[in-house]
Amino acid sequence: MVAFKSKMVESISLPSRDRRERNLEAAGYNVFNLDADEVFIDLLTDSGTGAMSDAQWAALIRGDESYAGSRSFDRLESAVADVMGFSHVIPAHQGRGAENVLYGTLLSSGDVVPNNTHFDTTRAHVANQGGEPVDCPVEVAFDPDADDPFKGNTSLARLREVVDDVGTERVPLIVQTITNNSTAGQPVSVENTRRVREFADEIDATFVVDACRFAENAAFVSRREAEFVGEDVGAIAREQLSYADAVVMSGKKDGLVNAGGFVATDDPDLYERCKERAILYEGFPTYGGMAGRDIAAMAVGLREAVEESYVFDRIDAVDEFGSMLADVGVPVYEPVGGHAVYLDAGTALSHLPCEVFPGQAFVCELYREGGVRGVELGSFAFPDTDRPELVRLAVPRRTYHREHFEHVAETAERVLEKRERVSGLEITSEPEIAELRHFTAGLEPIPS
Ligand SMILES: *Cc1c(COP(=O)(O)O)cnc(C)c1O
């Protein structure tokens, strides 16, 4: 049951078909180049795109903009202590700022960093410190049909293998990402977090949890992990995070705000070391590049994120959206994760080989047919990797309703009906950094 009503609304409209065709062409068949006003339902990302509550707006107005020791920072400190269980917090302008502070403090050149799956900015920050990011997902993560409750888990066997390979001295840090964003937003069990903690102790490594979606993860645990079924989501979240030496957080996810992030820890030495780097890159450690008002709103958002009336509604809405798509015949990654539905465009458009980007073709058709914006996470976004041709439809928090999701499902159904007529795409211009090409590259349909 949806546990909120609207107090403020924003108009959206579906541009005409002619206009969508023209927009698509002008955008070089890259939906990152579309004006947001020309998009009807925007499922590009769940990052910073959600709606704040009236309590958050109220906190925003009462934000304290003092450079040092603001009242808003005190509110954040107590929210992080109550909700996540850490006594020290360092704000940052967003998640990647927090990553720079923490990983820049912990890593040196030549280090190897295992993670269940690195999110792209995490991978980049590890690499930027001269480290080597290594993914250790469980096998079942790559099977879009496998019915497993925790496909986001870290593989302990793989973790051990990596450490045996390079030696314990080169692994000063282990990271676990909950939920596992890059693996279709799949959750991680508390038992798995415990076992990674034990392993980190065994090799004397620091254990960091990337906690961007810690509340959604706890909601899954409360539904799926026998030991915790029916237990309070807030209590589960605290228990899972209690195994970490530190967390990195993007407030744009389960902080329920449009900007911000932080590092949190109980370790006084690590806190002192992080503070120095925070001043260099983010700002004085009681604001870290955030406005006091945004810190105040994030403090409220963290508390709201673990309210069961909010978070169960959140994961249920995403799950229901996944079912709507599956019901019209769209191949969907199962089970549906916490923040997005992932479609398998390689199967949906099986006549298109990966060289002509079936995922990107599907993304363009969703816009052409219904003004819907998603994002390709297949051969176009990840050149030279052997990945399934996935399209992500991310769901902004507290923003869209059932009718919107129905429109997306109907749009996807229309794409499927004309699937044989969907042509592949070729790249006409691309940036120098191949890893970033999906943000800016231009494409063109290949005439059939
Ligand atoms: C979004 C995200 C980040 C980075 O956060 P930003 O606020 O976008 O900089 C890091 N890790 C994970 C798992 C994320 O989803």
Side-chain angles (χ1 to χ4, degrees), residues 245-433:
D245 295 307
V247 294
V248 274
M249 179 74 189
S250 166
K252 302 169 77 163
K253 286 54 175 269
D254 282 351
L256 304 184
V257 284
N258 308 115
F262 57 84
V263 173
T265 181
D266 259 345
D267 177 342
D269 292 335
L270 181 60
Y271 173 58
E272 289 305 324
R273 283 162 61 214
C274 284
K275 266 201 319 208
E276 289 169 25
R277 195 170 168 90
I279 294 171
L280 188 58
Y281 288 101
E282 297 292 314
F284 189 73
T286 63
Y287 77 88
M290 293 183 74
R293 53 182 171 273
D294 291 331
I295 292 180
M298 185 164 72
V300 175
L302 279 176
R303 294 184 190 277
E304 290 179 356
V306 290
E307 279 173 18
E308 297 195 343
S309 57
Y310 158 71
V311 74
F312 282 132
D313 172 52
R314 161 78 179 155
I315 64 168
D316 288 346
V318 176
D319 191 60
E320 193 182 340
F321 178 34
S323 303
M324 286 177 190
L325 287 159
D327 285 349
V328 298
V330 179
V332 166
Y333 184 106
E334 309 251 12
V336 171
H339 67 292
V341 178
Y342 289 71
L343 318 180
D344 181 358
T347 304
L349 303 178
S350 54
H351 63 295
L352 299 179
C354 61
E355 294 76 36
V356 302
F357 311 127
Q360 188 65 9
F362 203 96
V363 166
C364 288
E365 291 310 316
L366 284 174
Y367 180 73
R368 192 198 309 274
E369 293 299 322
V372 174
R373 177 156 70 170
V375 68
E376 195 263 10
L377 294 175
S379 304
F380 178 50
F382 302 102
D384 309 319
T385 54
D386 190 21
R387 295 169 67 104
E389 301 296 332
L390 296 181
V391 169
R392 184 185 73 186
L393 301 178
V395 180
R397 295 169 179 79
R398 303 191 286 207
T399 303
Y400 291 118
H401 307 295
R402 178 171 299 150
E403 290 79 358
H404 300 121
F405 297 129
E406 279 166 4
H407 170 81
V408 179
E410 284 160 18
T411 301
E413 189 175 20
R414 276 204 297 283
V415 175
L416 290 182
E417 279 163 6
K418 58 175 252 193
R419 70 174 91 186
E420 277 86 29
R421 281 175 288 134
V422 175
S423 46
L425 297 159
E426 63 186 347
I427 294 178
T428 53
S429 65
E430 60 184 310
E432 269 172 39
I433 306 173

Side-chain angles (χ1 to χ4, degrees), residues 94-164:
Q94 60 183 80
R96 67 201 69 185
E99 291 181 325
N100 181 31
V101 167
L102 185 64
Y103 300 139
T105 301
L106 289 172
L107 292 177
S108 355
S109 194
D111 290 344
V112 172
V113 180
N115 191 329
N116 44 350
T117 315
H118 286 81
F119 178 67
D120 49 15
T121 61
T122 317
R123 186 181 306 280
H125 274 293
V126 168
N128 195 39
Q129 298 305 323
E132 188 189 325
V134 181
D135 291 342
C136 302
V138 285
E139 284 285 318
V140 74
F142 299 109
D143 180 351
D145 301 314
D147 186 21
D148 186 291
F150 292 106
K151 290 164 94 169
N153 279 355
T154 302
S155 162
L156 269 294
R158 177 87 186 104
L159 195 55
R160 212 168 267 285
E161 215 173 82
V162 171
V163 172
D164 286 348

